[in-house]
């Protein structure tokens, strides 16, 4: 049997429950470091003065930054021309009349942001080195207090737009630790569950009525919460339908097409799909495109790796396998087309703005999510009817249930599906905290969403939310020592991510005129912990930074090993950014470098009940991360990553790694062309990548010659401008059919929704056999790469 890990807390014993620890009134004390003792007496006086001052003053509304003239990029070749290191500049962004006409491409609606004065009294700069800053933060991070934050966030309903108190609590915690913070509100279009039903009749006799509810477990208190959220899909269509049904495998575009090619009549039927392979919203989209009238989706235990009841593991709560009643809720918006409020594409959702018809971005047929316990009778009823799994011959078609996974339909087997939801405009609240830095136009944002489909959400999102609050505590420890970051650090707790990354998207749309010229990195910590295996998706120029960071963070389970050692042993590889979380809008619409990382479960680890009531505090303390050691490890990684971006004179970005990644992408593209049997001239792309590689190598040589560099140095400023903002040059007018996604090097796959596609304009044209469009995007992409090479050269 797989058992939970047995890492002990510093304080407490094996018998002490994490629930008791989480509910303590005060965090456990810790011994001051040598650095802190050396500063203790003056800090006491400085802290007292700060407390008195802060109590009688307000915190700022927006970051304290000069604002440079920098229009939202409309072509893939607009790049910053000059690095500004002093204030006094202004932004001339879009005028007061925002985009409200539904015309494309999207345009930003960003009002001028007047910088307020920095409210923090400056008592003198701390002379702590970067290593000492990291030590102060690391010593401040405690799995005990992280457990407390996790307990708070996992014991109240926080569906998007329903719990302002959690946003306020987050704001107040950050203020308590010395970080000026506020709520930023939007009014967005969401749906909420009202009622639902699902039944199966065969030859007119009702055979089965689905429960559509997860079991209440005495061992897991929040599963029985009075305000628990029913199973439903965000942005699902209101409706009641009745029809025969067809099993469609994973419900990918090619699964549906395979059935059509084999002569299966899909029109007027209901689709039954298993999760995996394709984002759930696209499963519904492809069903409606085939003329189907409803869709059902369930989690199959065959996708749970080795940890299944069929392999002898007990189901949660008795064991690590999936509970049979577990249901994966989620959004069915078409995220491959856009993120954000579907009624305000490209401009912020504020009260009174014009609303567009969202039908292009949300389904026109009803859908429901199911447990495999509820899905089983529907699958069993199809055994022996229609095509066999072998005849369909599609990857991932079968699962781990004792059924044949036949296609159907079964004559006379009819599903009755009802989904009633309430669509409304409702406020949502982002919590934004600002630690103003000394450099004026280089900003780091670290964020995570706060909303969840359920009362719990111990992994998604609250492992990340707990880490973010712990970081605010650790930054507060530095602030008390007179520290001020070199680059401004913004903390962001987003709302409504689960529906369509709405909070982050609306914020970027509102503040694009500030964010695009000033931000150098967005760091995303969403599912910080769902298992013990490190995961990294980032722009290639930041791979080395994170890899270097995790070499300096010890493994919580293997003495003498680092997280990097374990990651490498796992065969870990860094990936490029896809979609499905809040980093997407930063990279895909604005060309802002992003990092998205965390710890995930593997095929031999306890099953993570994604978007289920069983993603709970009880599951986390029993199976996920029993002593919150991986939470504290993730906090260390995030802290060191942010500090190393903020405090190093020269940005720790490696454009040579980006050039290597480009060459790998080109190789992958050639493979796609071969598979497609297409003749396509990619020599312009090869030439441009060669120029980029040379320019990147020259810039890195200049960077290394400048090390360690000095703050305010002209050469350092120029190098940072090129390193931190060259991605902007890949932002064009938008990819074909989905102009929200503008980056020419990576985008969420048009047929997957989450996973990235590289060189997307070319690759996706190749996959559908469109030589003309592929040729067009070879030219567009090559021109962008060539222009960026010139930008790197200066």
């Amino acid at each position: 049997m797989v058992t939970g890990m047995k890492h002990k807390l510093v304080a407490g014993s094996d018998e002490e429950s994490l629930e008791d620890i989480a509910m303590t009134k005060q965090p456990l004390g810790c011994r001051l470091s040598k650095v802190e003792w050396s500063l203790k007496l003056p800090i006491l006086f400085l802290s007292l003065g700060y407390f008195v001052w802060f109590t009688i003053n307000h915190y700022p509304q927006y970051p304290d930054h000069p604002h440079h003239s920098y229009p939202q990029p409309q072509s893939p070749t607009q790049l910053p021309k000059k690095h500004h290191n002093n204030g006094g500049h202004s932004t001339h962004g879009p005028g007061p009349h925002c985009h409200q006409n539904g015309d494309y491409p999207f345009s930003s609606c960003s009002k001028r942001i007047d910088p307020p004065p920095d409210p923090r009294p400056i008592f003198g700069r701390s002379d702590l080195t970067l290593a000492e800053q990291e030590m102060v933060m690391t010593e401040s991070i405690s799995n005990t207090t992280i457990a407390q934050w996790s307990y708070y966030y996992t014991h109240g309903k926080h569906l998007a737009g329903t719990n302002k108190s959690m946003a306020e609590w987050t704001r107040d915690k950050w203020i308590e630790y010395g970080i000026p913070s506020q709520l930023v509100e939007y009014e967005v279009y969401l749906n909420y569950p009202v009622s639902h039903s699902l039944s199966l009749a065969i030859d007119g006799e009702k055979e089965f009525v689905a429960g559509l509810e997860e079991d209440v477990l005495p061992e897991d208190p929040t599963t029985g919460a009075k305000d628990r959220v029913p199973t439903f899909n965000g942005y699902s269509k209101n409706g009641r339908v009745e029809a025969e049904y067809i099993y469609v495998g994973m419900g990918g575009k090619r699964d549906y097409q395979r059935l059509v090619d084999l002569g299966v009549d899909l029109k007027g039927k209901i689709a039954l799909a298993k999760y995996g392979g394709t984002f759930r919203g696209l499963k519904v989209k492809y069903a409606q495109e085939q003329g189907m009238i409803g869709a059902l989706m369930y989690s199959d235990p065959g996708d749970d790796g080795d940890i299944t009841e069929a392999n002898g593991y007990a189901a949660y709560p008795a064991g690590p396998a999936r509970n049979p009643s577990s249901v994966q809720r989620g959004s069915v918006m078409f995220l491959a087309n856009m993120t954000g409020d579907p009624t305000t594409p490209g401009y912020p959702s504020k009260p009174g703005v014009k609303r567009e018809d969202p039908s292009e971005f949300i389904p026109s047929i009803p859908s429901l999510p199911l447990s495999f316990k509820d899905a089983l009778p529907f699958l069993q009823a199809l055994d022996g009817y229609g095509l066999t799994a072998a005849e369909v011959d599609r990857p991932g078609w079968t699962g781990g249930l004792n059924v044949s996974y036949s296609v159907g339909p079964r004559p006379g087997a009819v599903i009755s599906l009802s989904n009633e939801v309430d669509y409304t405009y409702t406020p949502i609240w982002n919590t934004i905290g600002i630690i103003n830095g000394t450099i004026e136009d280089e900003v780091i944002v670290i964020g995570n969403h706060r909303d969840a489909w359920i009362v719990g959400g111990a992994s998604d999102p609250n492992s990340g939310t707990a880490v973010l609050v712990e970081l605010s505590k650790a930054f507060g420890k530095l602030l008390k020592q007179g520290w001020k970051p070199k680059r401004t650090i913004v903390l962001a707790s987003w709302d409504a991510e689960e529906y369509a990354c709405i909070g982050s998207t609306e914020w970027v749309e509102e503040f694009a005129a500030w964010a695009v010229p000033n931000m150098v990195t967005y760091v995303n910590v969403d599912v910080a912990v769902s298992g013990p295996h490190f995961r990294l998706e980032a722009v290639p120029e930041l791979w080395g930074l994170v890899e270097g960071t995790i070499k300096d963070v010890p493994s919580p389970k293997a003495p003498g090993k680092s997280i990097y050692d374990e990651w490498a042993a796992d065969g870990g590889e860094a990936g490029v950014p896809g979609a499905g979380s809040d980093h997407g809008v930063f990279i895909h619409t604005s060309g802002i470098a992003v990092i998205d990382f965390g710890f995930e479960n593997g095929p031999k680890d306890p099953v993570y009940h994604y978007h289920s009531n069983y993603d709970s505090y009880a599951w986390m303390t029993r199976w996920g991360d029993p002593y919150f050691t991986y939470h504290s490890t993730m906090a260390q990684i995030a802290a060191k990553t942010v500090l190393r971006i903020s405090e190093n004179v020269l940005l720790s970005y490696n454009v040579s790694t980006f050039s290597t990644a480009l060459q790998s992408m080109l190789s992958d593209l050639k493979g796609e062309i071969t598979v497609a049997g297409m003749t396509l001239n990619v020599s312009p792309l090869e030439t441009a990548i060669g120029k980029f590689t040379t320019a990147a190598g020259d810039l890195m040589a200049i960077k290394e010659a400048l090390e360690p560099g000095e703050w305010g140095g002209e050469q350092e400023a120029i190098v940072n401008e090129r390193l931190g903002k060259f991605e902007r040059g890949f932002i064009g007018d938008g990819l074909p059919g989905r102009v929200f996604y503008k980056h020419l090097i990576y985008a969420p796959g048009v047929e997957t929704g989450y996973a990235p596609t590289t060189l997307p304009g070319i690759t996706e044209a190749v996959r559908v056999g469109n030589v003309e469009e592929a040729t067009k995007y070879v030219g567009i992409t090559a021109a962008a790469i060539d222009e960026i090479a010139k930008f790197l050269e200066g």
Side-chain angles (χ1 to χ4, degrees), residues 205-248:
E205 297 292 328
K206 187 168 289 187
E207 296 288 332
F208 174 69
V209 177
L212 300 180
E213 186 174 2
E214 293 170 295
D215 294 341
V216 173
L217 307 177
E219 303 91 336
D220 191 337
T222 57
T223 64
K226 292 181 179 179
D227 59 350
R228 64 186 182 275
V229 182
T231 57
F232 85 112
N233 286 329
Y235 289 122
S236 54
K237 175 72 173 178
N238 259 314
R240 181 184 299 271
V241 294
E242 186 172 283
E244 291 181 345
Y245 64 104
I246 290 174
Y247 175 66
V248 296

Short mmCIF file of all heavy atoms in Angstrom, two decimals, residues 205-248:
data_model
loop_
_atom_site.label_atom_id
_atom_site.label_comp_id
_atom_site.label_asym_id
_atom_site.label_seq_id
_atom_site.Cartn_x
_atom_site.Cartn_y
_atom_site.Cartn_z
N GLU A 205 -38.41 2.17 -20.44
CA GLU A 205 -38.34 1.88 -19.02
C GLU A 205 -37.12 2.55 -18.40
O GLU A 205 -35.99 2.35 -18.88
CB GLU A 205 -38.27 0.36 -18.79
CG GLU A 205 -39.49 -0.40 -19.26
CD GLU A 205 -40.72 -0.07 -18.43
OE1 GLU A 205 -40.56 0.20 -17.21
OE2 GLU A 205 -41.83 -0.06 -19.00
N LYS A 206 -37.33 3.32 -17.35
CA LYS A 206 -36.21 4.01 -16.71
C LYS A 206 -35.31 2.99 -16.02
O LYS A 206 -35.76 2.23 -15.15
CB LYS A 206 -36.71 5.05 -15.71
CG LYS A 206 -35.60 5.93 -15.13
CD LYS A 206 -36.14 7.12 -14.37
CE LYS A 206 -36.77 8.14 -15.31
NZ LYS A 206 -37.15 9.39 -14.61
N GLU A 207 -34.04 2.97 -16.41
CA GLU A 207 -33.09 2.00 -15.88
C GLU A 207 -32.17 2.57 -14.82
O GLU A 207 -31.72 1.86 -13.93
CB GLU A 207 -32.24 1.46 -17.04
CG GLU A 207 -33.01 0.69 -18.09
CD GLU A 207 -33.46 -0.67 -17.58
OE1 GLU A 207 -32.77 -1.22 -16.71
OE2 GLU A 207 -34.50 -1.16 -18.05
N PHE A 208 -31.88 3.88 -14.91
CA PHE A 208 -30.88 4.44 -14.01
C PHE A 208 -31.09 5.94 -13.88
O PHE A 208 -31.36 6.63 -14.87
CB PHE A 208 -29.47 4.16 -14.55
CG PHE A 208 -28.36 4.83 -13.77
CD1 PHE A 208 -28.06 4.41 -12.47
CD2 PHE A 208 -27.63 5.87 -14.32
CE1 PHE A 208 -27.04 5.03 -11.76
CE2 PHE A 208 -26.61 6.48 -13.61
CZ PHE A 208 -26.32 6.06 -12.32
N VAL A 209 -30.96 6.43 -12.65
CA VAL A 209 -30.98 7.88 -12.39
C VAL A 209 -29.65 8.24 -11.73
O VAL A 209 -29.30 7.70 -10.67
CB VAL A 209 -32.15 8.28 -11.47
CG1 VAL A 209 -32.09 9.77 -11.15
CG2 VAL A 209 -33.48 7.92 -12.11
N ALA A 210 -28.91 9.12 -12.36
CA ALA A 210 -27.59 9.50 -11.84
C ALA A 210 -27.74 10.38 -10.60
O ALA A 210 -28.62 11.25 -10.55
CB ALA A 210 -26.81 10.25 -12.92
N GLY A 211 -26.85 10.16 -9.64
CA GLY A 211 -26.89 10.96 -8.41
C GLY A 211 -26.40 12.38 -8.62
O GLY A 211 -26.88 13.32 -7.99
N LEU A 212 -25.39 12.55 -9.49
CA LEU A 212 -24.82 13.87 -9.80
C LEU A 212 -24.34 14.60 -8.54
O LEU A 212 -24.36 15.82 -8.47
CB LEU A 212 -25.83 14.73 -10.56
CG LEU A 212 -26.32 14.19 -11.90
CD1 LEU A 212 -27.30 15.18 -12.53
CD2 LEU A 212 -25.17 13.92 -12.85
N GLU A 213 -23.92 13.84 -7.55
CA GLU A 213 -23.44 14.43 -6.31
C GLU A 213 -22.34 13.55 -5.74
O GLU A 213 -22.41 12.31 -5.84
CB GLU A 213 -24.57 14.57 -5.30
CG GLU A 213 -24.17 15.31 -4.04
CD GLU A 213 -25.35 15.57 -3.11
OE1 GLU A 213 -26.47 15.13 -3.45
OE2 GLU A 213 -25.15 16.20 -2.06
N GLU A 214 -21.35 14.18 -5.14
CA GLU A 214 -20.27 13.43 -4.53
C GLU A 214 -20.67 12.97 -3.12
O GLU A 214 -21.41 13.68 -2.42
CB GLU A 214 -19.00 14.29 -4.47
CG GLU A 214 -18.45 14.56 -5.87
CD GLU A 214 -17.35 15.60 -5.88
OE1 GLU A 214 -17.63 16.77 -5.56
OE2 GLU A 214 -16.21 15.25 -6.21
N ASP A 215 -20.17 11.82 -2.72
CA ASP A 215 -20.50 11.28 -1.41
C ASP A 215 -19.99 12.19 -0.29
O ASP A 215 -18.87 12.72 -0.37
CB ASP A 215 -19.89 9.89 -1.23
CG ASP A 215 -20.48 8.86 -2.18
OD1 ASP A 215 -21.58 9.12 -2.71
OD2 ASP A 215 -19.84 7.81 -2.39
N VAL A 216 -20.79 12.36 0.73
CA VAL A 216 -20.36 13.07 1.94
C VAL A 216 -19.59 12.08 2.80
O VAL A 216 -20.09 10.99 3.11
CB VAL A 216 -21.55 13.65 2.70
CG1 VAL A 216 -21.12 14.23 4.04
CG2 VAL A 216 -22.26 14.71 1.85
N LEU A 217 -18.36 12.45 3.18
CA LEU A 217 -17.49 11.55 3.92
C LEU A 217 -17.31 12.06 5.34
O LEU A 217 -16.85 13.20 5.54
CB LEU A 217 -16.12 11.46 3.24
CG LEU A 217 -16.13 11.10 1.74
CD1 LEU A 217 -14.70 11.14 1.21
CD2 LEU A 217 -16.75 9.74 1.52
N PRO A 218 -17.62 11.24 6.34
CA PRO A 218 -17.40 11.67 7.73
C PRO A 218 -15.94 12.03 8.00
O PRO A 218 -15.65 12.90 8.83
CB PRO A 218 -17.83 10.45 8.55
CG PRO A 218 -18.76 9.69 7.66
CD PRO A 218 -18.26 9.92 6.26
N GLU A 219 -15.01 11.36 7.30
CA GLU A 219 -13.58 11.61 7.51
C GLU A 219 -13.12 12.92 6.86
O GLU A 219 -11.98 13.35 7.08
CB GLU A 219 -12.75 10.46 6.93
CG GLU A 219 -13.10 9.09 7.50
CD GLU A 219 -14.17 8.38 6.67
OE1 GLU A 219 -14.96 9.07 5.97
OE2 GLU A 219 -14.21 7.15 6.73
N ASP A 220 -13.98 13.53 6.04
CA ASP A 220 -13.60 14.74 5.30
C ASP A 220 -14.71 15.77 5.50
O ASP A 220 -15.66 15.85 4.73
CB ASP A 220 -13.44 14.40 3.82
CG ASP A 220 -12.78 15.52 3.03
OD1 ASP A 220 -12.84 16.67 3.47
OD2 ASP A 220 -12.22 15.23 1.96
N PRO A 221 -14.63 16.59 6.55
CA PRO A 221 -15.75 17.44 6.96
C PRO A 221 -16.29 18.37 5.89
O PRO A 221 -17.51 18.58 5.80
CB PRO A 221 -15.18 18.23 8.14
CG PRO A 221 -14.09 17.37 8.68
CD PRO A 221 -13.49 16.69 7.48
N THR A 222 -15.42 18.97 5.04
CA THR A 222 -15.93 19.95 4.09
C THR A 222 -16.75 19.31 2.97
O THR A 222 -17.46 20.03 2.26
CB THR A 222 -14.78 20.78 3.47
OG1 THR A 222 -13.83 19.90 2.85
CG2 THR A 222 -14.09 21.61 4.53
N THR A 223 -16.69 18.00 2.81
CA THR A 223 -17.53 17.35 1.79
C THR A 223 -19.01 17.43 2.16
O THR A 223 -19.87 17.24 1.29
CB THR A 223 -17.13 15.88 1.57
OG1 THR A 223 -17.36 15.14 2.78
CG2 THR A 223 -15.68 15.76 1.17
N GLY A 224 -19.29 17.69 3.42
CA GLY A 224 -20.68 17.82 3.87
C GLY A 224 -21.06 19.24 4.20
O GLY A 224 -22.10 19.47 4.84
N ALA A 225 -20.26 20.22 3.77
CA ALA A 225 -20.55 21.62 4.07
C ALA A 225 -21.92 22.01 3.53
O ALA A 225 -22.30 21.63 2.42
CB ALA A 225 -19.48 22.52 3.46
N LYS A 226 -22.66 22.78 4.32
CA LYS A 226 -24.01 23.19 3.91
C LYS A 226 -23.98 24.05 2.64
O LYS A 226 -24.94 24.04 1.86
CB LYS A 226 -24.69 23.95 5.05
CG LYS A 226 -25.03 23.08 6.25
CD LYS A 226 -25.73 23.87 7.33
CE LYS A 226 -26.09 22.99 8.53
NZ LYS A 226 -26.76 23.76 9.61
N ASP A 227 -22.89 24.80 2.44
CA ASP A 227 -22.81 25.67 1.27
C ASP A 227 -21.94 25.07 0.18
O ASP A 227 -21.41 25.78 -0.67
CB ASP A 227 -22.29 27.05 1.66
CG ASP A 227 -20.91 27.01 2.31
OD1 ASP A 227 -20.42 25.89 2.63
OD2 ASP A 227 -20.31 28.09 2.49
N ARG A 228 -21.79 23.74 0.17
CA ARG A 228 -20.96 23.12 -0.87
C ARG A 228 -21.58 23.37 -2.24
O ARG A 228 -22.79 23.51 -2.39
CB ARG A 228 -20.78 21.63 -0.61
CG ARG A 228 -22.03 20.78 -0.66
CD ARG A 228 -21.68 19.35 -0.23
NE ARG A 228 -22.82 18.43 -0.29
CZ ARG A 228 -23.71 18.27 0.67
NH1 ARG A 228 -23.60 18.98 1.79
NH2 ARG A 228 -24.70 17.40 0.53
N VAL A 229 -20.72 23.41 -3.24
CA VAL A 229 -21.14 23.78 -4.60
C VAL A 229 -21.59 22.53 -5.35
O VAL A 229 -20.86 21.55 -5.41
CB VAL A 229 -19.98 24.46 -5.36
CG1 VAL A 229 -20.45 24.89 -6.76
CG2 VAL A 229 -19.46 25.65 -4.57
N PRO A 230 -22.78 22.53 -5.94
CA PRO A 230 -23.22 21.37 -6.73
C PRO A 230 -22.29 21.12 -7.92
O PRO A 230 -21.53 22.00 -8.34
CB PRO A 230 -24.61 21.78 -7.21
CG PRO A 230 -25.05 22.86 -6.29
CD PRO A 230 -23.80 23.58 -5.88
N THR A 231 -22.37 19.92 -8.47
CA THR A 231 -21.60 19.62 -9.67
C THR A 231 -22.23 20.35 -10.86
O THR A 231 -23.44 20.27 -11.08
CB THR A 231 -21.58 18.11 -9.94
OG1 THR A 231 -22.91 17.63 -10.06
CG2 THR A 231 -20.90 17.37 -8.79
N PHE A 232 -21.42 21.09 -11.60
CA PHE A 232 -21.90 21.80 -12.79
C PHE A 232 -20.69 22.26 -13.59
O PHE A 232 -19.55 22.15 -13.14
CB PHE A 232 -22.79 22.99 -12.40
CG PHE A 232 -22.04 24.27 -12.09
CD1 PHE A 232 -22.15 25.38 -12.93
CD2 PHE A 232 -21.24 24.38 -10.96
CE1 PHE A 232 -21.48 26.56 -12.64
CE2 PHE A 232 -20.57 25.56 -10.66
CZ PHE A 232 -20.69 26.65 -11.52
N ASN A 233 -20.96 22.78 -14.77
CA ASN A 233 -19.91 23.35 -15.62
C ASN A 233 -20.08 24.84 -15.75
O ASN A 233 -21.18 25.33 -16.05
CB ASN A 233 -19.94 22.73 -17.02
CG ASN A 233 -19.40 21.31 -17.04
OD1 ASN A 233 -18.52 20.95 -16.25
ND2 ASN A 233 -19.91 20.49 -17.94
N GLY A 234 -19.00 25.58 -15.53
CA GLY A 234 -19.03 27.01 -15.75
C GLY A 234 -19.27 27.32 -17.22
O GLY A 234 -18.69 26.69 -18.10
N TYR A 235 -20.14 28.29 -17.49
CA TYR A 235 -20.53 28.71 -18.83
C TYR A 235 -21.27 27.62 -19.61
O TYR A 235 -21.33 27.66 -20.83
CB TYR A 235 -19.33 29.21 -19.65
CG TYR A 235 -18.81 30.55 -19.17
CD1 TYR A 235 -17.49 30.70 -18.76
CD2 TYR A 235 -19.65 31.66 -19.10
CE1 TYR A 235 -17.01 31.93 -18.31
CE2 TYR A 235 -19.17 32.88 -18.66
CZ TYR A 235 -17.86 33.01 -18.26
OH TYR A 235 -17.40 34.22 -17.81
N SER A 236 -21.84 26.66 -18.87
CA SER A 236 -22.66 25.65 -19.55
C SER A 236 -24.00 26.26 -19.97
O SER A 236 -24.47 27.24 -19.39
CB SER A 236 -22.90 24.45 -18.63
OG SER A 236 -23.44 24.85 -17.39
N LYS A 237 -24.61 25.64 -20.96
CA LYS A 237 -25.86 26.14 -21.53
C LYS A 237 -27.05 25.64 -20.72
O LYS A 237 -27.11 24.47 -20.33
CB LYS A 237 -25.98 25.65 -22.98
CG LYS A 237 -27.27 26.00 -23.68
CD LYS A 237 -27.37 27.47 -24.00
CE LYS A 237 -28.60 27.76 -24.86
NZ LYS A 237 -28.74 29.20 -25.15
N ASN A 238 -27.99 26.54 -20.47
CA ASN A 238 -29.29 26.12 -19.93
C ASN A 238 -29.98 25.21 -20.94
O ASN A 238 -29.95 25.47 -22.14
CB ASN A 238 -30.18 27.34 -19.71
CG ASN A 238 -30.23 27.77 -18.26
OD1 ASN A 238 -30.40 26.94 -17.38
ND2 ASN A 238 -30.09 29.06 -18.03
N GLY A 239 -30.61 24.15 -20.45
CA GLY A 239 -31.37 23.36 -21.41
C GLY A 239 -31.76 21.99 -20.89
O GLY A 239 -31.20 21.48 -19.92
N ARG A 240 -32.75 21.41 -21.56
CA ARG A 240 -33.22 20.05 -21.28
C ARG A 240 -33.29 19.32 -22.61
O ARG A 240 -33.95 19.78 -23.55
CB ARG A 240 -34.60 20.10 -20.62
CG ARG A 240 -35.18 18.74 -20.24
CD ARG A 240 -36.59 18.91 -19.68
NE ARG A 240 -36.59 19.71 -18.48
CZ ARG A 240 -36.43 19.22 -17.26
NH1 ARG A 240 -36.27 17.92 -17.08
NH2 ARG A 240 -36.46 20.03 -16.21
N VAL A 241 -32.58 18.20 -22.72
CA VAL A 241 -32.55 17.45 -23.98
C VAL A 241 -32.78 15.97 -23.70
O VAL A 241 -32.50 15.48 -22.59
CB VAL A 241 -31.21 17.64 -24.74
CG1 VAL A 241 -31.05 19.08 -25.21
CG2 VAL A 241 -30.02 17.23 -23.87
N GLU A 242 -33.27 15.26 -24.73
CA GLU A 242 -33.52 13.82 -24.60
C GLU A 242 -33.17 13.19 -25.94
O GLU A 242 -33.68 13.60 -26.99
CB GLU A 242 -34.99 13.58 -24.25
CG GLU A 242 -35.32 12.13 -23.96
CD GLU A 242 -36.73 11.97 -23.43
OE1 GLU A 242 -36.95 12.27 -22.23
OE2 GLU A 242 -37.62 11.58 -24.21
N ALA A 243 -32.29 12.18 -25.91
CA ALA A 243 -31.85 11.57 -27.16
C ALA A 243 -31.04 10.31 -26.87
O ALA A 243 -30.62 10.06 -25.74
CB ALA A 243 -31.00 12.55 -27.96
N GLU A 244 -30.82 9.53 -27.93
CA GLU A 244 -29.84 8.45 -27.85
C GLU A 244 -28.45 9.07 -27.70
O GLU A 244 -28.25 10.27 -27.96
CB GLU A 244 -29.91 7.60 -29.12
CG GLU A 244 -31.20 6.79 -29.23
CD GLU A 244 -31.24 5.94 -30.49
OE1 GLU A 244 -30.42 6.18 -31.41
OE2 GLU A 244 -32.09 5.03 -30.56
N TYR A 245 -27.49 8.26 -27.28
CA TYR A 245 -26.17 8.81 -26.98
C TYR A 245 -25.08 7.94 -27.59
O TYR A 245 -25.29 6.77 -27.92
CB TYR A 245 -25.98 8.95 -25.48
CG TYR A 245 -25.99 7.65 -24.69
CD1 TYR A 245 -24.80 7.09 -24.23
CD2 TYR A 245 -27.18 6.98 -24.42
CE1 TYR A 245 -24.81 5.89 -23.50
CE2 TYR A 245 -27.20 5.80 -23.69
CZ TYR A 245 -26.00 5.26 -23.24
OH TYR A 245 -26.02 4.09 -22.54
N ILE A 246 -23.90 8.56 -27.72
CA ILE A 246 -22.76 7.92 -28.35
C ILE A 246 -21.51 8.18 -27.50
O ILE A 246 -21.27 9.32 -27.07
CB ILE A 246 -22.56 8.46 -29.77
CG1 ILE A 246 -23.70 7.95 -30.68
CG2 ILE A 246 -21.20 8.06 -30.35
CD1 ILE A 246 -23.69 8.53 -32.06
N TYR A 247 -20.74 7.13 -27.28
CA TYR A 247 -19.46 7.28 -26.60
C TYR A 247 -18.44 7.79 -27.61
O TYR A 247 -18.25 7.19 -28.68
CB TYR A 247 -19.01 5.95 -25.98
CG TYR A 247 -17.62 6.02 -25.37
CD1 TYR A 247 -17.38 6.80 -24.25
CD2 TYR A 247 -16.55 5.31 -25.93
CE1 TYR A 247 -16.11 6.88 -23.69
CE2 TYR A 247 -15.29 5.37 -25.37
CZ TYR A 247 -15.07 6.16 -24.26
OH TYR A 247 -13.80 6.23 -23.72
N VAL A 248 -17.74 8.89 -27.27
CA VAL A 248 -16.85 9.56 -28.23
C VAL A 248 -15.40 9.58 -27.77
O VAL A 248 -14.60 10.41 -28.19
CB VAL A 248 -17.34 11.00 -28.50
CG1 VAL A 248 -18.71 11.00 -29.17
CG2 VAL A 248 -17.35 11.84 -27.22
#
